[in-house]
Amino acid sequence: MPDAVVPLTGQSVRGAVWTLANRLGVVARTPGELVGALTALARPSVVVLPDLDAAHDPAAITELVHALRDLGHIRLVTGSDGGTGDGGTEDAAPDDPGPDDAGLDDPGPDDAGPDVDGPVDLADPGAVCAADPSRVTAAYEHAANDPGDPDGPSGHGGLRTAWFRAGQSLIRDQSAAERALVLLTALGDDADPRLRPALNTLATDAPWQVDWTRVRGDVTPPWPGPVAALAQGTGRWSDHLLVADQRGTIRSLRPADATPAPGTAVMPVRVTALAPLPDGTLVMLDERGRLHTHGDTALTEAVAATLRKHPGTALAATNRLVLVGDRHGSLHAFGYDGVHQAAAHRGRVTAVAVVDGPAPLVCSGGLDGTVRLWTPGGPPRNAPLAERDCPVTALAGRGPELAVAWADGLVELRRLDTDEALPFRPGPPVRAVAMPGDRSVVIGTDETLIRLTARPTTTPRSRR
């Protein structure tokens, strides 16, 4: 049974990359990123690519096919009308299922939308959101390669740039309102000023509302840079959203509107996780798994000493404890009453969050694709809160809810007492999440910083 069936009729190379990435559970914006992601995944996969000769750009897609064929764990079946073509395996495929009966666990979200007749007005947000996303992608690629494009570097008022930024999400099957929501989160401040209100109107029926966005190149307020870590402050930090970039600079933003707030720190290391304590101390984890602090307490001194011998892979904190995950799947809760430990995951712990209360509730995510709950002093709960076939990349908790980011680009707002989830996919890989308010999530990527709030009438669901 194939792991992915991607019909190539009318597909451009970007469209093929995005659709393949969605089907195979990775995030990739370019052919090179797709090859790199699948190399790192190293999971044997069978990929069927019918109708190569009917693609929008057969030559470029053939190059992609050759690159994928060179990966020993990817088996390709390509061709036209069931036969095999250049770059494919020699396996005949008359019995291979089509895109609607491929036997995949969740084929729907990756199927292209319905086709429409005639050209799409690429500067009209309503037309773009309602059209077949594969056709829109191919048309924007053609426009991007046209030196005579009259719309300037931002392209069709900024829609083309936003589409390319969030394309892997946009190419999935979804309503026009949901597609408008995603485009809105990727739109730069240099875009045609008429586009944002138009997209807001189109996105009225989407399950989320966009509070604010910052994208690469924004100047008013400025984009804070590629996000490596996020944290919503408490205590003295309660009016601060802390954003660490990939060079070790930590900026403070006002969570209500993302405008700069007083306070910037430049660390001599790359920060991979950070957590502000109510007393003003800031604790951080570097890429070697060592603890760094801005301000010191007896508690953080004990954690730092431990991590010098046993590096950490994930970090969170409250006023009563510092929580660290390690590469063996264990959790370590450092409190003033000592250290509590638990074996929670198979393989590396990739993210932790702590929901404070009468008894702190630790939420952890792992390379094993599970999210687990643990109260220090007892064993982890047997059943995971969530489990998917890809690693967890980030967690943030607030009250009865948890924001979960996954390695395939999915972000979910989950309740801790049910298995329901409200999903969103920004397009680029998600590096970090934070929760500055009830039902509100900040999402950090290499390209964007976004704050979304679930609409009051939204019922959490499990669609992914």
Side-chain angles (χ1 to χ4, degrees):
M1 196 69 71
D3 299 281
V5 179
V6 180
L8 295 175
T9 300
Q11 285 273 28
S12 64
V13 67
R14 285 182 197 251
V17 165
W18 296 337
T19 305
L20 272 167
N22 279 333
R23 288 295 181 90
L24 295 173
V26 297
V27 183
R29 291 161 289 188
T30 66
E33 287 187 7
L34 179 62
V35 171
L38 295 179
T39 299
L41 190 64
R43 183 174 62 204
S45 301
V46 177
V47 178
V48 179
L49 301 173
D51 303 321
L52 175 61
D53 58 351
H56 184 268
D57 190 349
I61 294 182
T62 297
E63 290 184 16
L64 172 63
V65 167
H66 280 275
L68 294 176
R69 186 187 59 185
D70 290 341
L71 301 177
H73 58 285
I74 303 292
R75 179 185 169 204
L76 292 172
V77 179
T78 67
S80 175
D81 298 325
T84 53
D86 190 18
T89 70
E90 293 305 316
D91 300 337
D95 297 324
D96 285 325
D100 294 327
D101 56 355
L104 303 177
D105 290 336
D106 185 20
D110 299 318
D111 292 339
D115 200 3
V116 296
D117 294 328
V120 179
D121 183 349
L122 299 178
D124 179 350
V128 165
C129 291
D132 176 351
S134 294
R135 293 182 67 241
V136 174
T137 301
Y140 276 142
E141 283 202 73
H142 177 75
N145 294 328
D146 181 2
D149 178 14
D151 293 306
S154 59
H156 299 90
L159 277 179
R160 187 181 69 206
T161 301
W163 187 278
F164 285 167
R165 181 174 284 127
Q168 187 171 335
S169 176
L170 293 164
I171 208 163
R172 300 173 71 90
D173 183 35
Q174 59 198 295
S175 68
E178 291 172 308
R179 194 164 284 125
L181 175 78
V182 175
L183 266 177
L184 192 58
T185 65
L187 198 66
D189 67 2
D190 62 345
D192 186 323
R194 296 170 294 183
L195 288 178
R196 195 169 297 277
L199 288 169
N200 259 318
T201 299
L202 290 167
T204 300
D205 292 333
W208 298 91
Q209 65 184 29
V210 179
D211 298 327
W212 48 256
T213 64
R214 299 290 175 267
V215 307
R216 182 184 291 272
D218 280 2
V219 294
T220 310
W223 176 60
V227 175
L230 288 171
Q232 171 59 44
T234 60
R236 288 174 54 187
W237 295 98
S238 59
D239 293 330
H240 298 258
L241 174 68
L242 300 177
V243 183
D245 69 17
Q246 296 173 349
R247 296 182 178 180
T249 301
I250 301 172
R251 295 177 173 85
S252 176
L253 307 180
R254 293 182 176 87
D257 57 10
T259 56
T264 297
V266 179
M267 302 301 298
V269 295
R270 179 180 175 184
V271 176
T272 59
L274 71 159
L277 300 179
D279 65 2
T281 301
L282 183 62
V283 293
M284 296 153 282
L285 203 65
D286 70 17
E287 59 189 339
R288 297 176 60 195
R290 308 292 179 85
L291 192 76
H292 299 262
T293 63
H294 189 280
D296 287 295
T297 67
L299 181 58
T300 59
E301 290 172 2
V303 179
T306 300
L307 296 189
R308 281 194 288 270
K309 297 179 180 179
H310 305 285
T313 58
L315 174 74
T318 71
N319 62 334
R320 289 181 288 171
L321 60 82
V322 175
L323 196 287
V324 177
D326 69 23
R327 59 191 174 91
H328 301 294
S330 296
L331 302 172
H332 310 265
F334 297 83
Y336 290 104
D337 61 345
V339 181
H340 298 281
Q341 297 175 310
H345 296 274
R346 300 183 307 275
R348 180 165 55 95
V349 178
T350 55
V352 289
V354 185
V355 179
D356 215 355
L361 181 63
V362 173
C363 311
S364 62
L367 199 65
D368 59 3
T370 65
V371 177
R372 296 189 176 274
L373 305 179
W374 172 53
T375 299
R381 299 183 188 179
N382 290 329
L385 175 70
E387 185 171 13
R388 299 182 67 237
D389 192 24
C390 67
V392 177
T393 57
L395 295 172
R398 185 182 181 93
E401 293 183 315
L402 184 71
V404 186
W406 303 86
D408 66 348
L410 175 67
V411 177
E412 295 178 305
L413 180 62
R414 307 188 69 99
R415 287 192 61 86
L416 295 172
D417 53 356
T418 73
D419 62 355
E420 295 178 321
L422 183 63
F424 178 74
R425 291 178 180 268
V430 178
R431 307 301 185 191
V433 291
M435 292 193 66
D438 293 342
R439 309 214 74 197
S440 180
V441 180
V442 174
I443 301 169
T445 79
D446 295 343
E447 299 281 332
T448 54
L449 184 67
I450 305 159
R451 176 170 173 168
L452 302 173
T453 298
R455 294 189 186 276
T457 58
T458 298
T459 299
R461 60 192 192 277
S462 297
R463 179 186 173 191
R464 294 172 183 172

